[in-house]
Amino acid sequence: MSDILKIKNIRKTFPGVVALDDVSFSVARGEIHTLLGENGAGKSTLMNVLTGLYHPDRGEISIDGNPVHFTSPRDSLSCGIGMVHQHFMLVPAHSVFENILLALDNVPNFFSRKIYKEKIQKLIDEFDVDLDLETPVWKLSIGAQQWIELIKLLMRDCQLLILDEPTAVLTPQEAERLFSVLRRLKEQGKSIIFISHKMREVIEISDRVTILKKGCSLETLNRGDFDESKLASLMIGKDKIPQWQKNLQMSDEIVLDIQNLSVRNDRGLADLDDFNLLLKKGEILGIAGVAGNGQKALAEVLTGLKNTSQGRIMAGEKDITNSNARYSYIAGIAHIPEDRKTIGIAPDMSVDENLIMKSFKSGLFRNWIFQDKKAIRRNAAEKIEQFAIKSGPDGTPVRYLSGGNIQKVIIARELSEHPAVLVALYPTRGLDIGSAEYVHKVIADGVDRGMSTILIAEDLDELLKLSDRIAVMFRGKLIGYVDPRKTTREEIGLMMGGETPGGAE
Amino acid sequence: MVEILLDATVRAGTPILFATLGAIINERAGIINLGIEGLMLIGALAGFAGTYLSGSLLVGVLLAFGASFLAGSIHALITVQLRGNQIVSGLALTMFGVGITALFGKGMVGLTIVGFKRIAIPGLSELPIIGRAFFNQNLLIYFSFLLVFLIWFFFYRTRWGLGVRSVGENPAAADTCGFSVSTYRFLAVTIGSGLVGIGGAYLSLASTPMWIENMSAGRGWIAVALVIFAGWSSPRAMLGAYLFGGITAMQLRFQAMGTTISAHVLQMLPYFFTILVLVISTQRMQKGASQQPEGLGLPYDREDRK
């Protein structure tokens, strides 16, 4: 087998950050090569270098033995490198046809719509995908959008396909389907770079695995030389992955009773559709579902960021749907938001200030109308110690902190008012394993104080590990509950695709 | 009566139509251009000067296009290449246009030229009601009809048009498909600005064949609002421009008929309707059917980490 791609000693820095330090690896023709690494190890940066979006500071890239120098995505496309980005590069307002056409080169300026439609349709039929060319992309599911991205590359006849965490947005069944397509492409002689941090998939599909750690390529292993624990230990650098013991105590007292909740989004479609949920005191209720099935709307409704169009939220006997009571009940709306940098913190303000953002009005932190700087500082020092936040010198703007530490700042602030309910939306997304463990621990410790948590996550392993019960949602509806001690991944996977368990409604 | 009113409507609406079409091309590529008012003035003066000095209307129109194209390239340089603030740059362009045309136009005040003449299209111009308004007009108006169709065709039937729309919606997507975002944006801003200039030239070559300081009188701002009303589509821009043309024609008619309503109040009408239209179309937009390009107003930096 000859190498289609070889990269050597790539380095890429951003102002203040070394994203890639020293990366070398090669991809052979007809191989599926996995890049494995924690978040922040530099996988996406490396791929953006390969597709010509970023210019590396130094290092060599060669295609079929010839050194190349990419200055724009156009260069890398002309070398037959195509990528399915983690955040899809689609134009939501345009039709499927227009999106695919955009990716084709050699289309004459005055083109025949009919000929190109037929060409694209032929490929769609070949892979047996259910796609209507005239539908605008924003109406399609995430899974369908991914197909568009893949078809874009296949229409261009790319020889090296890069897939950046393609399964993060798919149900296990959809992922299986994707894998079978990838294997078929491999047989056709195409090479695939597969990026993931889900061990199971990596082991299932990879011919070779290269491990990235802190911007360096650590080692490349051939199929047969790796198993789950070996990869994990290389990736994390610890021999043991800490295991979590679940707290089994749970009372039957209902803390929140969500009844027939419906929410419409900006486009007039239902984000939540007749949604029901019961939350018990002191439990961690996991919410499983493919991203984009209403999880975000649920978190936003509970925390008062969005209004309901129908339905009730009951706390015991009290209706708190649109009342201010919700604010104090979920103690100032304890919420770990999805996008911590844009809505979780005020990035340019200091750690101290971010920590009192919810309680700046309280007498503790002010003298009449002036801030009590000393009290604010004292509070910050306390929290920084309690949550082990690496905060840098006093007054450092929060945005200079690492993702894990920003998350700790948010958690410290959210828990400061002792909420009865914590709504955590993808709380460990983009965190390294150590920080993720810490977040898990804080959530689990909350149980001792009687706090209930709604944990919305995309990683099934995380949900299975932490939750007392798991609720599965699909297209804004509750499909059902499962017991994490008894269920299987397959069962949850089917429910995530909308199938009700055991015929029960 | 209807015939005359319709005729006046088209004549009053055409400069706004050119300006709106130019602005649509800008915004479809994702660049807000608030310099329309200034570009119209630059086009008006350049068109007048070109015709006065050469004696040819065609030279005037080409010069108007060229001058606004150049002025627009300042906006393009700031917003596309340097990723500056589009609002500030656009406002500066308007002020620049007002100032520079007042300065260089001093010597042109009071001069006269022979403006565009009506050319009747045999047969069609005899049609009742619409004949006079649509088929007995000057060349610039016929050109604007053609332009509405050409722009629609360009956007929806050519690859370049698809590129411009994609660059305005999601520049990253267009970039990863091998389109040069900066080239597309730069050309959309400059060519769009050139069309705005022709709208200005219409004022000084057809409406009133002379140069008057600040003769665009806010039409550029109306065009900016009309872009939203038109939902970034050229056929609807035509509708919108004639709506305003109609209101202008009507208020002139009222004045001629000698109503007791103050002329100042009547002259306010088009601008009042601008506000009304903005309120209505903004509300419609919030109800869902947003046609606004998603990348509008956002500079694109390939290496920006989100």
Side-chain angles (χ1 to χ4, degrees), chain A residues 433-467:
Chain A
I433 292 206
S435 305
E437 278 303 318
Y438 190 84
V439 171
H440 289 168
K441 187 170 176 309
V442 170
I443 291 175
D445 285 351
V447 172
D448 298 336
R449 292 199 315 273
M451 181 179 80
S452 313
T453 301
I454 294 182
L455 172 69
I456 302 173
E458 53 197 354
D459 186 355
L460 279 186
D461 293 321
E462 181 178 0
L463 286 172
L464 289 168
K465 179 174 113 182
L466 216 61
S467 315

Short mmCIF file of all heavy atoms in Angstrom, two decimals, chain A residues 433-467:
data_model
loop_
_atom_site.label_atom_id
_atom_site.label_comp_id
_atom_site.label_asym_id
_atom_site.label_seq_id
_atom_site.Cartn_x
_atom_site.Cartn_y
_atom_site.Cartn_z
N ILE A 433 -10.68 14.88 30.32
CA ILE A 433 -11.29 13.86 31.18
C ILE A 433 -11.25 14.25 32.66
O ILE A 433 -12.22 14.06 33.39
CB ILE A 433 -10.61 12.50 30.93
CG1 ILE A 433 -10.99 12.06 29.52
CG2 ILE A 433 -11.02 11.48 31.98
CD1 ILE A 433 -10.98 10.60 29.27
N GLY A 434 -10.14 14.85 33.08
CA GLY A 434 -10.03 15.24 34.48
C GLY A 434 -11.11 16.23 34.88
O GLY A 434 -11.80 16.05 35.89
N SER A 435 -11.31 17.27 34.05
CA SER A 435 -12.33 18.27 34.36
C SER A 435 -13.71 17.66 34.31
O SER A 435 -14.58 17.98 35.12
CB SER A 435 -12.26 19.43 33.39
OG SER A 435 -10.98 19.98 33.36
N ALA A 436 -13.92 16.77 33.33
CA ALA A 436 -15.23 16.13 33.20
C ALA A 436 -15.55 15.34 34.46
O ALA A 436 -16.66 15.40 34.98
CB ALA A 436 -15.26 15.23 31.97
N GLU A 437 -14.55 14.62 34.96
CA GLU A 437 -14.75 13.87 36.20
C GLU A 437 -15.16 14.79 37.34
O GLU A 437 -16.02 14.46 38.14
CB GLU A 437 -13.44 13.14 36.58
CG GLU A 437 -13.24 11.83 35.86
CD GLU A 437 -14.38 10.86 36.07
OE1 GLU A 437 -14.87 10.75 37.21
OE2 GLU A 437 -14.80 10.22 35.10
N TYR A 438 -14.52 15.94 37.38
CA TYR A 438 -14.82 16.88 38.45
C TYR A 438 -16.27 17.35 38.37
O TYR A 438 -16.97 17.42 39.37
CB TYR A 438 -13.87 18.07 38.40
CG TYR A 438 -13.98 18.94 39.61
CD1 TYR A 438 -13.28 18.62 40.76
CD2 TYR A 438 -14.83 20.04 39.63
CE1 TYR A 438 -13.41 19.38 41.90
CE2 TYR A 438 -14.96 20.80 40.76
CZ TYR A 438 -14.24 20.48 41.90
OH TYR A 438 -14.39 21.24 43.02
N VAL A 439 -16.69 17.64 37.14
CA VAL A 439 -18.08 18.08 36.95
C VAL A 439 -19.03 16.98 37.41
O VAL A 439 -20.01 17.23 38.12
CB VAL A 439 -18.33 18.44 35.47
CG1 VAL A 439 -19.81 18.69 35.22
CG2 VAL A 439 -17.52 19.66 35.08
N HIS A 440 -18.72 15.75 37.03
CA HIS A 440 -19.56 14.62 37.46
C HIS A 440 -19.65 14.55 38.97
O HIS A 440 -20.71 14.33 39.54
CB HIS A 440 -18.97 13.31 36.92
CG HIS A 440 -19.13 13.17 35.45
ND1 HIS A 440 -18.49 12.20 34.72
CD2 HIS A 440 -19.85 13.89 34.56
CE1 HIS A 440 -18.82 12.32 33.44
NE2 HIS A 440 -19.63 13.34 33.33
N LYS A 441 -18.52 14.74 39.61
CA LYS A 441 -18.47 14.62 41.06
C LYS A 441 -19.35 15.69 41.71
O LYS A 441 -20.12 15.40 42.62
CB LYS A 441 -17.02 14.77 41.53
CG LYS A 441 -16.82 14.50 42.99
CD LYS A 441 -15.32 14.45 43.29
CE LYS A 441 -15.04 14.29 44.77
NZ LYS A 441 -15.72 15.24 45.62
N VAL A 442 -19.25 16.92 41.21
CA VAL A 442 -20.05 18.00 41.78
C VAL A 442 -21.54 17.70 41.64
O VAL A 442 -22.32 17.88 42.57
CB VAL A 442 -19.71 19.34 41.09
CG1 VAL A 442 -20.70 20.41 41.49
CG2 VAL A 442 -18.30 19.75 41.45
N ILE A 443 -21.91 17.20 40.46
CA ILE A 443 -23.32 16.89 40.24
C ILE A 443 -23.78 15.78 41.18
O ILE A 443 -24.84 15.86 41.80
CB ILE A 443 -23.55 16.49 38.76
CG1 ILE A 443 -23.36 17.71 37.87
CG2 ILE A 443 -24.94 15.90 38.58
CD1 ILE A 443 -23.44 17.41 36.39
N ALA A 444 -22.94 14.75 41.33
CA ALA A 444 -23.31 13.63 42.18
C ALA A 444 -23.34 14.07 43.65
O ALA A 444 -24.22 13.63 44.41
CB ALA A 444 -22.33 12.48 41.98
N ASP A 445 -22.44 14.93 44.06
CA ASP A 445 -22.41 15.39 45.44
C ASP A 445 -23.65 16.20 45.79
O ASP A 445 -24.07 16.23 46.96
CB ASP A 445 -21.16 16.26 45.69
CG ASP A 445 -19.92 15.40 45.79
OD1 ASP A 445 -20.08 14.16 45.85
OD2 ASP A 445 -18.81 15.95 45.79
N GLY A 446 -24.21 16.86 44.79
CA GLY A 446 -25.41 17.65 45.02
C GLY A 446 -26.55 16.83 45.59
O GLY A 446 -27.40 17.33 46.32
N VAL A 447 -26.54 15.55 45.25
CA VAL A 447 -27.60 14.66 45.72
C VAL A 447 -27.67 14.65 47.25
O VAL A 447 -28.74 14.64 47.83
CB VAL A 447 -27.35 13.22 45.19
CG1 VAL A 447 -28.30 12.24 45.82
CG2 VAL A 447 -27.47 13.21 43.69
N ASP A 448 -26.51 14.71 47.89
CA ASP A 448 -26.48 14.71 49.36
C ASP A 448 -27.23 15.88 49.95
O ASP A 448 -27.76 15.80 51.05
CB ASP A 448 -25.02 14.75 49.85
CG ASP A 448 -24.26 13.52 49.39
OD1 ASP A 448 -24.93 12.50 49.11
OD2 ASP A 448 -23.02 13.59 49.26
N ARG A 449 -27.26 16.98 49.22
CA ARG A 449 -27.98 18.15 49.72
C ARG A 449 -29.42 18.16 49.25
O ARG A 449 -30.13 19.13 49.39
CB ARG A 449 -27.30 19.43 49.23
CG ARG A 449 -25.91 19.66 49.83
CD ARG A 449 -25.54 21.12 49.66
NE ARG A 449 -25.87 21.59 48.30
CZ ARG A 449 -25.04 21.48 47.28
NH1 ARG A 449 -23.86 20.94 47.44
NH2 ARG A 449 -25.40 21.92 46.09
N GLY A 450 -29.83 17.09 48.58
CA GLY A 450 -31.22 17.00 48.13
C GLY A 450 -31.46 17.70 46.81
O GLY A 450 -32.60 17.93 46.42
N MET A 451 -30.39 18.06 46.11
CA MET A 451 -30.57 18.73 44.83
C MET A 451 -30.88 17.70 43.74
O MET A 451 -30.31 16.61 43.72
CB MET A 451 -29.28 19.47 44.47
CG MET A 451 -29.35 20.22 43.15
SD MET A 451 -27.81 21.10 42.78
CE MET A 451 -26.80 19.77 42.13
N SER A 452 -31.82 18.02 42.89
CA SER A 452 -32.10 17.15 41.75
C SER A 452 -31.43 17.75 40.52
O SER A 452 -31.35 18.97 40.39
CB SER A 452 -33.60 17.06 41.50
OG SER A 452 -34.27 16.82 42.70
N THR A 453 -30.97 16.89 39.64
CA THR A 453 -30.29 17.38 38.46
C THR A 453 -30.94 16.83 37.20
O THR A 453 -31.27 15.65 37.14
CB THR A 453 -28.81 16.95 38.47
OG1 THR A 453 -28.21 17.47 39.64
CG2 THR A 453 -28.08 17.48 37.24
N ILE A 454 -31.16 17.70 36.24
CA ILE A 454 -31.55 17.23 34.91
C ILE A 454 -30.28 17.31 34.07
O ILE A 454 -29.75 18.40 33.82
CB ILE A 454 -32.65 18.10 34.31
CG1 ILE A 454 -33.93 17.94 35.13
CG2 ILE A 454 -32.90 17.72 32.86
CD1 ILE A 454 -35.10 18.71 34.60
N LEU A 455 -29.77 16.16 33.72
CA LEU A 455 -28.49 16.10 33.01
C LEU A 455 -28.75 15.78 31.55
O LEU A 455 -29.17 14.68 31.21
CB LEU A 455 -27.59 15.04 33.64
CG LEU A 455 -26.30 14.72 32.89
CD1 LEU A 455 -25.34 15.89 32.95
CD2 LEU A 455 -25.63 13.48 33.47
N ILE A 456 -28.49 16.74 30.69
CA ILE A 456 -28.67 16.52 29.26
C ILE A 456 -27.29 16.31 28.65
O ILE A 456 -26.42 17.16 28.79
CB ILE A 456 -29.37 17.72 28.62
CG1 ILE A 456 -30.73 17.95 29.30
CG2 ILE A 456 -29.56 17.49 27.12
CD1 ILE A 456 -31.44 19.20 28.88
N ALA A 457 -27.08 15.16 28.06
CA ALA A 457 -25.75 14.86 27.52
C ALA A 457 -25.90 14.07 26.24
O ALA A 457 -26.95 13.50 25.95
CB ALA A 457 -24.93 14.07 28.54
N GLU A 458 -24.83 14.04 25.44
CA GLU A 458 -24.92 13.28 24.20
C GLU A 458 -24.17 11.96 24.28
O GLU A 458 -24.40 11.06 23.50
CB GLU A 458 -24.41 14.12 23.03
CG GLU A 458 -23.03 14.69 23.25
CD GLU A 458 -22.72 15.83 22.29
OE1 GLU A 458 -23.53 16.08 21.40
OE2 GLU A 458 -21.65 16.44 22.45
N ASP A 459 -23.27 11.86 25.26
CA ASP A 459 -22.49 10.65 25.40
C ASP A 459 -23.26 9.64 26.26
O ASP A 459 -23.48 9.87 27.44
CB ASP A 459 -21.14 10.99 26.04
CG ASP A 459 -20.23 9.79 26.08
OD1 ASP A 459 -20.69 8.70 25.70
OD2 ASP A 459 -19.07 9.96 26.48
N LEU A 460 -23.66 8.54 25.64
CA LEU A 460 -24.45 7.55 26.39
C LEU A 460 -23.69 7.02 27.60
O LEU A 460 -24.28 6.78 28.65
CB LEU A 460 -24.85 6.39 25.48
CG LEU A 460 -26.04 6.63 24.57
CD1 LEU A 460 -26.40 5.35 23.85
CD2 LEU A 460 -27.22 7.15 25.35
N ASP A 461 -22.40 6.84 27.45
CA ASP A 461 -21.62 6.32 28.56
C ASP A 461 -21.70 7.24 29.78
O ASP A 461 -21.79 6.80 30.91
CB ASP A 461 -20.15 6.14 28.14
CG ASP A 461 -20.02 5.05 27.09
OD1 ASP A 461 -20.73 4.04 27.22
OD2 ASP A 461 -19.23 5.21 26.16
N GLU A 462 -21.65 8.53 29.50
CA GLU A 462 -21.74 9.50 30.58
C GLU A 462 -23.10 9.39 31.27
O GLU A 462 -23.19 9.38 32.50
CB GLU A 462 -21.55 10.90 30.00
CG GLU A 462 -21.61 12.01 31.03
CD GLU A 462 -21.36 13.39 30.40
OE1 GLU A 462 -21.14 13.46 29.18
OE2 GLU A 462 -21.39 14.37 31.15
N LEU A 463 -24.14 9.26 30.48
CA LEU A 463 -25.49 9.17 31.06
C LEU A 463 -25.65 7.89 31.87
O LEU A 463 -26.19 7.90 32.97
CB LEU A 463 -26.53 9.21 29.94
CG LEU A 463 -26.75 10.56 29.29
CD1 LEU A 463 -27.67 10.44 28.08
CD2 LEU A 463 -27.33 11.55 30.29
N LEU A 464 -25.16 6.78 31.30
CA LEU A 464 -25.31 5.50 31.99
C LEU A 464 -24.55 5.51 33.32
O LEU A 464 -24.98 4.93 34.30
CB LEU A 464 -24.79 4.37 31.09
CG LEU A 464 -25.67 4.07 29.88
CD1 LEU A 464 -24.95 3.15 28.91
CD2 LEU A 464 -26.98 3.44 30.34
N LYS A 465 -23.43 6.19 33.31
CA LYS A 465 -22.58 6.20 34.50
C LYS A 465 -23.21 7.01 35.62
O LYS A 465 -23.17 6.61 36.78
CB LYS A 465 -21.23 6.81 34.11
CG LYS A 465 -20.24 6.91 35.23
CD LYS A 465 -18.91 7.39 34.69
CE LYS A 465 -18.61 8.76 35.24
NZ LYS A 465 -17.37 9.33 34.74
N LEU A 466 -23.82 8.13 35.26
CA LEU A 466 -24.20 9.10 36.28
C LEU A 466 -25.67 9.04 36.69
O LEU A 466 -26.01 9.30 37.84
CB LEU A 466 -23.89 10.49 35.72
CG LEU A 466 -23.38 11.54 36.68
CD1 LEU A 466 -22.06 11.07 37.28
CD2 LEU A 466 -23.14 12.84 35.92
N SER A 467 -26.54 8.69 35.75
CA SER A 467 -27.97 8.91 35.99
C SER A 467 -28.60 7.86 36.87
O SER A 467 -28.18 6.70 36.88
CB SER A 467 -28.72 8.93 34.66
OG SER A 467 -28.05 9.68 33.73
#
